[in-house]
Structure formats: structure tokens, C-alpha cells
Amino acid sequence: MTPKPSKSKESVPIQPVPEKRGYEFGGPLGAAGIVFGLPILVYVFAFVCNDVSGCPAPGLLHPSTLTLDQLKREVGWPAEGVAGLFNAKVTLWTLSYYAFSLFLQVSLPGQVAEGVTLACGGRHKYKFNAFPSALVILGSLAAGTYMHGADFVVWTFLWDNYIQVVTANLLIASVISLFVYIRSFSVPAPGKPNPDLRELAPGGHTGNPLYDFFIGRELNPRIRLPIPFVDEASRTIDIKVFMEMRPGLLGWTILNLSNVAHQYRAYGHVTDSIVLITIFQGFYILDALYMEPAIMTTMDIIMDGFGFMLSFGDVVWVPHLYSIQSRYLSVFPFELGWTGMALVMGVTAIGYSIFRGANNQKNRFRTNPNDPRVKHIKYIETASGSRLMTSGWWGLARHINYLGDWIMSWAYCLPTGIAGYVIIESISPVTGNLEKQAVQTPEARGWGMILTYFYMLYFGILLIHREMRDEEKCKKKYGADWDLYTSIVRSRIIPGIY
């Protein structure tokens, strides 16, 4: 038998010399602040806006007389102290949710597509089925709710163990970040064969361990599951895409649904405000999952490494901080009325039309410029062969999608109104039992907005910072072509203003 010819060296991708960039986010000091500070902030939000004393805890309005013991009582600090933040059983159940999400990615059919060309010349293959996976999970939760109502075990579990779920997600994010950081040192050296198309992220190999752990050393860390009789695309898991599109993103809407169930258990009905927030945020999430292939052209996938920043952001910051509005409303049942509902829906419609219209246009133009929907788009062609759109949505502003994204964030905060409440305890004249009621007092009114409107402020700052990072990278990538482009499309985010 004639032996099969071996692959030539030319057919095996060679690891290029990795591009290197300077520090971002304030360098090692900024990375330390984010790694150790933001997890504390998530806990602060969970404790300060509560169903024990109020939102914010009343003692915080009188800091000069506040004692530590009083603060612990008002925020519901665990009797076990810091140890009470963790529960092994809760962590295992949270891990089972991740495992089920992974099982659905592997087992359900999905679209297989190639990503953008990497520095080594190859392209990763991705399997996309986040949307049907979400439908399976949400369908299962709907069935459980149909049989058990608001007392369905998932809803009560998430509410009763909320702090411990935060801790579980934080531990998972930290362990995964440490895993990919350690594993990144096995990326082939420059000039060596690179059959798995592994690369270091341009900004992730500065040599400072804390900063590189935070920002992410490897661009697209992937693992192959040892599963027989499964095709390569199904058993190859891109860790960055999995974390960004699955457990945390869908977890955001699951937490919202848990909050809706709590409001129903507490009051016997649900308010228009919490329904609107849950629907709008749920639609935003499901839309992102449905358009999952569009993630291949985002900066997160193309340029950023995967480290603590993205891992923590995906499964801790996004689900727990972005659901703060529905958590607030689950305790204080604020009604919008028809006028308020019309205002919120109008804001959402404007934001979504800009966000989705711009992103769809970009994705179609990059993947199929002959698509009739984008064939008319004007552009300039750069020396690297890339095309930069100068008409359509992207002719209005260089990051017009960020404007739509930010406007949608208003609709997540507006339904909480002028937020703030205190918990009043009283004896029920009917049952004789001690009952708690959330009441908005003149003293508390407005202070809760620091918490419920934080998302809108933070998201605006985040988008401006992201836009500045994008501009810096594009200037370096395109050089004089970028100067020409910015002379045509002058606005950054808000046409004619910024």
C-alpha cells in the first residue's frame, strides 16, 4: 500500500510574531482596582438595595450616626459573616446550569461558520445555536412555572440564595480566568507550527501578571471536549464566545423572571413597570442570541483577549448588575400607567432601531457586500483591503450603534421612576401577623436612583471608553486611511454633537 503523503510544512499555519500594545484601563493599578473593586461593588448593590430595610438602607442617609452593627442589620448581612456569602450546594447548582448550557451547545444542531482571518492566516470555525439553546431553557422554566406558579423552585432558589449565587458566579469566573491565563503559556512560540490557530492577544502579553490575567493573554482560548461520535465543530468550545453568549446573558433574563415571580408572591399581582423591563431586556437578550453569528465581527472577538475582565463581566457584572431594576421593582411595585408605558416604549423603539439597524448593516456589508440591502453603501477601501462605510447608518457616526445601545439603556431605568423606599413593619389587622411593606417616604425618595439609574450612567461611560479604544486601534491599523475616513464621517457616537 502506498503511504499517504504527509502534510507539507506550508499547509500548517506558523505562529506569527505577536503584536504588542501598551496598557489600557490605567495599567496594572487600574486592573487591580477592577479585579478587586468591582466584585465588591456588585455585593454593595445587592445588600444596599434590599427587602430588609429599604433602598437604600435608611442608615446610609444619616452616615454621621450610622454604626456598623446597625448597617449589618439593615442590609441583611449573614449571621455567619463573610463565610455566609458562600454555599457549596448553591455553587453546585449554579455549576449545573453552566453544564446544561454546555450540553445544549454540543448536542443541539446549529449553524457552523468561519470567523475572520487570524494573524496566522487561518480561520476558526464556530457552531452557533445559542438561540435554540435559550428556547430549551426558557421552555423548561415556563413548564415549571405552569405547574407550580410563582413558587416554582428555580424562582424561589434564586431569590432566597441570591448573594450565594453571586459568589458562585464570581468563583466560576475567577477559576476560568486563571485557567485560560495559565494555559496561555502553552501558545506556540513565534515561527513554530500552529495547527490549532492559537494566538496571544495584542494587549495581553505585557509581562505584568496581574494586568495580563485581567485583560487576557490568549485571543481565543478553546478546548476540545473528549466526546466520541461528535463532529469537530460541536466538541470544540470557544471559551470566550461561550461565556459571552450563554450562561451570563441568558442568566440576566432568568434573574429578571425570578424577580417577577417574587413580586407576584409578595403582592398577588405584577406591575406594568416590571413587565416592561423584563420584556425589553428579554427581547434585547434573545435578539443578541438570535443574531449570534454577528459576534464574529465584534471587537471583543477580533481584538480582545479573554481574561478576568470579560469573564467577570459576562457572568457576574451583566446578570447581577443589569437586573437591579427588576429586583428593585420586585420589592417596590411601582405602576407606570399608560403615559409612562408609552414613553418607555417609544424610547426603546428609537434605541433598538438604531442599534439593530446599524449592526445588521455592518454585518451584512462585511460578510456579503453584494447583498441588495447594502450594495448601495458608499465606502473607502484601505491599504489593508478593508472597507470602511461612509454612508448609511455608519455615515452618520463612526460608532452609531453605541448611541442606540445607550438609548435603550434609558428604558431599563425609567420604569423605576424617582426611586427609593423604606420597609415598614406592621401587624396585619386581618391575620395578626407581622407584615412588611415597601413605602416611599420623602426622605428616601430619589436616593434609590443612585442604584436603579447607575446602569444608564455606567453604560454611557463604558461606551465612550470603548469608542476611544476602538478609535485608537483603528488609527493604528489603518493609518492615513483612518484620517481620511474620519474627515468624511466626523461624528463619533452622536451625529453632529459627539
Side-chain angles (χ1 to χ4, degrees):
M1 178 181 292
T2 304
K4 293 181 179 180
S6 59
K7 291 183 178 181
S8 64
K9 290 184 178 180
E10 289 74 14
S11 66
V12 179
I14 300 300
Q15 183 69 286
V17 176
E19 180 185 350
K20 201 163 188 174
R21 298 201 181 115
Y23 288 132
E24 297 180 281
F25 297 96
L29 186 61
I34 294 173
V35 170
F36 298 108
L38 290 192
I40 293 174
L41 186 60
V42 173
Y43 284 114
V44 167
F45 270 64
F47 279 115
V48 167
C49 189
N50 59 68
D51 61 345
V52 177
S53 63
C55 182
L60 294 172
L61 302 179
H62 306 280
S64 62
T65 60
L66 181 64
T67 65
L68 182 59
D69 288 338
Q70 177 190 354
L71 182 62
K72 286 181 177 180
R73 288 194 303 271
E74 289 186 352
V75 302
W77 184 254
E80 307 89 342
V82 175
L85 303 179
F86 171 78
N87 183 283
K89 185 177 179 181
V90 172
T91 302
L92 288 174
W93 278 114
T94 305
L95 278 170
S96 71
Y97 165 65
Y98 283 74
F100 187 53
S101 297
L102 184 61
F103 169 77
L104 292 175
Q105 177 172 353
V106 173
S107 61
L108 291 181
Q111 173 190 352
V112 177
E114 289 187 330
V116 299
T117 302
L118 301 168
C120 64
R123 303 171 74 182
H124 283 309
K125 287 187 177 181
Y126 296 85
K127 177 183 176 182
F128 298 115
N129 62 6
F131 184 72
S133 298
L135 294 183
V136 170
I137 293 174
L138 292 176
S140 301
L141 295 174
T145 306
Y146 176 78
M147 292 186 290
H148 302 284
D151 293 318
F152 179 44
V153 64
V154 173
W155 308 140
T156 57
F157 172 85
L158 289 173
W159 183 268
D160 295 340
N161 302 283
Y162 181 77
I163 295 296
Q164 291 74 27
V165 172
V166 172
T167 303
N169 282 322
L170 178 58
L171 289 173
I172 292 168
S174 301
V175 169
I176 291 176
S177 302
L178 185 60
F179 168 75
V180 297
Y181 174 75
I182 294 173
R183 188 171 178 269
S184 69
F185 290 95
S186 64
V187 170
K192 298 292 184 181
N194 186 24
D196 295 325
L197 309 180
R198 299 180 64 193
E199 294 183 4
L200 295 179
H205 52 106
T206 65
N208 183 283
L210 178 60
Y211 180 82
D212 292 347
F213 165 80
F214 159 74
I215 204 74
R217 288 192 87 245
E218 189 168 354
L219 182 62
N220 297 112
R222 312 183 117 211
I223 57 173
R224 286 187 179 87
L225 301 177
I227 304 175
F229 312 114
V230 174
D231 63 272
E232 186 73 9
S234 294
R235 65 190 184 95
T236 299
I237 306 300
D238 188 295
I239 299 175
K240 180 161 58 173
V241 173
F242 174 82
M243 292 288 280
E244 185 158 337
M245 298 303 296
R246 291 175 184 267
L249 199 58
L250 186 60
W252 173 11
T253 203
I254 292 173
L255 285 172
N256 279 342
L257 293 171
S258 172
N259 295 335
V260 172
H262 177 79
Q263 187 186 79
Y264 186 82
R265 289 197 304 274
Y267 298 99
H269 69 280
V270 293
T271 59
D272 52 17
S273 55
I274 199 171
V275 169
L276 275 185
I277 283 179
T278 303
I279 290 176
F280 289 157
Q281 293 184 350
F283 180 77
Y284 175 85
I285 293 162
L286 290 175
D287 176 74
L289 297 178
Y290 183 77
M291 301 298 296
E292 186 184 16
I295 196 176
M296 289 188 294
T297 58
T298 63
M299 297 296 287
D300 283 356
I301 304 303
I302 297 174
M303 306 294 292
D304 293 336
F306 183 75
F308 183 85
M309 179 182 73
L310 288 180
S311 184
F312 169 82
D314 290 340
V315 301
V316 181
W317 187 260
V318 166
H320 292 289
L321 201 72
Y322 290 12
S323 62
I324 186 68
Q325 294 87 10
S326 68
R327 189 167 177 83
Y328 168 88
L329 292 170
S330 69
V331 180
F332 184 73
F334 178 68
E335 292 282 359
L336 285 170
W338 289 108
T339 303
M341 290 175 63
L343 172 64
V344 174
M345 286 189 286
V347 169
T348 301
I350 293 171
Y352 180 77
S353 63
I354 298 173
F355 173 78
R356 182 46 62 201
N359 280 339
N360 279 351
Q361 191 175 78
K362 177 183 68 173
N363 190 53
R364 288 170 184 144
F365 185 80
R366 286 184 174 180
T367 56
N368 182 17
N370 293 319
D371 188 313
R373 291 168 291 187
V374 295
K375 196 172 182 179
H376 65 283
I377 296 293
K378 296 178 182 178
Y379 61 89
I380 63 171
E381 188 159 355
T382 67
S384 63
S386 300
R387 295 177 175 182
L388 302 176
M389 293 181 282
T390 58
S391 67
W393 282 111
W394 300 91
L396 298 175
R398 303 195 291 271
H399 306 276
I400 188 69
N401 58 326
Y402 289 175
L403 175 62
D405 218 357
W406 187 54
I407 291 175
M408 281 192 290
S409 75
W410 303 358
Y412 303 161
C413 305
L414 290 172
T416 64
I418 303 177
Y421 63 80
V422 294
I423 300 295
I424 304 297
E425 294 183 346
S426 60
I427 302 297
S428 171
V430 178
T431 64
N433 297 327
L434 182 66
E435 293 184 346
K436 293 182 177 182
Q437 184 180 8
V439 177
Q440 189 168 78
T441 62
E443 184 180 52
R445 179 178 169 83
W447 286 104
M449 296 175 70
I450 297 174
L451 303 166
T452 63
Y453 284 75
F454 174 82
Y455 173 72
M456 189 172 78
L457 175 62
Y458 151 78
F459 200 51
I461 295 172
L462 172 72
L463 292 175
I464 291 174
H465 180 259
R466 182 177 293 177
E467 172 267 325
M468 293 171 66
R469 293 178 69 211
D470 291 349
E471 291 277 323
E472 182 181 350
K473 292 175 181 177
C474 290
K475 169 64 177 174
K476 186 172 183 179
K477 179 179 180 180
Y478 299 118
D481 292 323
W482 186 252
D483 293 332
L484 174 62
Y485 171 65
T486 56
S487 69
I488 299 173
V489 184
R490 295 182 176 275
S491 297
R492 292 170 176 255
I493 297 178
I494 306 175
I497 298 176
Y498 175 75

